[in-house]
Amino acid sequence: MREAEIYKALGDPLRLQIVTRLASGSTYTIGELSKNLGVTRQGARKQLQVLVSAELVQLIPKGRETVVALEVEKLTAARQFIAQLERQWDQRLQDLKALLEDGSDKP
Amino acid sequence: MREAEIYKALGDPLRLQIVTRLASGSTYTIGELSKNLGVTRQGARKQLQVLVSAELVQLIPKGRETVVALEVEKLTAARQFIAQLERQWDQRLQDLKALLEDGSDKP
DNA sequence: ACAATATGCAACTAATTGGTTGTATATTGT
DNA sequence: ACAATATACAACCAATTAGTTGCATATTGT
């Protein structure tokens, strides 16, 4: 179940906060992003690498600094996968209901 | 960022497979669910406990066996949180665009 | 009553993870 | 040219995790 990787990437408080910042804030470089996270810059950088491996963010070197960019398509894919689970679950409930009604549509 | 817990729960191949089965299949008891997962029953049970702690599944003892039930509301919450991130990201892009257009709505 | 079944609980191990510190390298502004 | 800045890379550490084996306990069907 390779789809797990993206949830694993999101499944850490620090990383989720980073992603949240990237989605809503105007933070750009690694240095800026690493501020006020309660960990050292190297600590933040390490988590950033996890997000890169999961292809949730991209690092773009620009001169002496590096710009961090969110890859929103991955978020979309993660959301859609969950949506599909929900749909399957709904279907199962409907099937069960139909079974209880014994195939007929008695009111 | 306490929201991370649910993604962490989903962020393991075995656990995600369990959730997928619960959503789509007709597996019910712990024993049934543990079959064909490539791990021992106790191994599966341990992962099941993680899902219970994240309130993604519920265990309902029934006689000598235990029924495993998916709590779909948690999935919904997880999906909605991601959807919100996507929306924020969209908004940010729009703001940026507006800024580039210098505030006016020149065609 | 008793054998089979379904589960629970605990100890142990190997691997992974989240974080640190310390050092080296490249880029920029004056 | 050089000091300041932004980042990279590696070694190390404690905690967590994913899985195992082994044993105990409760429930059910005949």
Side-chain angles (χ1 to χ4, degrees):
Chain A
M1 202 112 257
R2 74 196 180 294
E3 297 96 323
E5 197 187 13
I6 189 172
Y7 301 116
K8 186 168 190 178
L10 294 174
D12 172 87
L14 187 57
R15 287 195 297 264
L16 191 55
Q17 198 178 350
I18 289 175
V19 169
T20 302
R21 275 197 197 184
L22 285 173
S24 50
S26 44
T27 359
Y28 276 113
T29 75
I30 294 183
E32 286 162 359
L33 197 57
S34 301
K35 284 174 188 162
N36 296 99
L37 285 176
V39 293
T40 62
R41 185 182 55 77
Q42 288 93 327
R45 176 55 233 253
K46 220 173 161 184
Q47 299 310 319
L48 213 36
Q49 186 54 48
V50 176
L51 294 174
V52 168
S53 298
E55 294 174 294
L56 245 166
V57 311
Q58 217 179 335
L59 298 184
I60 303 144
K62 227 141 214 168
R64 89 176 128 178
E65 43 193 33
T66 300
V67 171
V68 184
L70 182 66
E71 305 220 58
V72 83
E73 311 82 38
K74 265 284 156 115
L75 280 183
T76 304
R79 172 175 53 78
Q80 288 177 343
F81 185 82
I82 294 179
Q84 198 191 334
L85 289 180
E86 293 177 279
R87 260 182 274 118
Q88 288 176 329
W89 191 83
D90 277 352
Q91 189 56 52
R92 218 190 101 192
L93 275 204
Q94 300 244 340
D95 292 352
L96 205 80
K97 212 172 170 186
L99 195 73
L100 286 178
E101 281 166 3
D102 203 23
S104 70
D105 41 35
K106 220 180 293 171
Chain B
M1 203 109 257
R2 74 195 180 297
E3 298 96 324
E5 196 188 13
I6 190 171
Y7 301 116
K8 187 169 190 178
L10 293 172
D12 171 87
L14 188 56
R15 287 195 296 264
L16 191 55
Q17 197 177 351
I18 290 175
V19 169
T20 301
R21 275 197 197 184
L22 285 174
S24 50
S26 44
T27 358
Y28 276 114
T29 74
I30 293 183
E32 285 162 2
L33 197 58
S34 301
K35 283 174 188 162
N36 297 99
L37 284 177
V39 293
T40 61
R41 183 183 54 78
Q42 288 93 328
R45 178 54 233 256
K46 222 172 161 186
Q47 298 310 320
L48 214 36
Q49 187 54 49
V50 175
L51 295 173
V52 168
S53 298
E55 293 175 292
L56 245 167
V57 310
Q58 217 179 335
L59 298 183
I60 302 146
K62 225 137 215 173
R64 91 176 128 179
E65 43 192 32
T66 299
V67 171
V68 184
L70 182 67
E71 305 218 58
V72 83
E73 312 81 37
K74 267 283 157 117
L75 279 184
T76 305
R79 173 176 52 78
Q80 289 176 342
F81 185 83
I82 294 180
Q84 198 192 332
L85 290 179
E86 293 177 280
R87 260 181 275 118
Q88 288 175 330
W89 190 83
D90 278 351
Q91 189 55 53
R92 219 190 100 193
L93 276 205
Q94 301 245 339
D95 291 352
L96 205 80
K97 212 173 171 185
L99 195 72
L100 286 178
E101 280 166 5
D102 203 25
S104 70
D105 41 35
K106 220 180 296 173

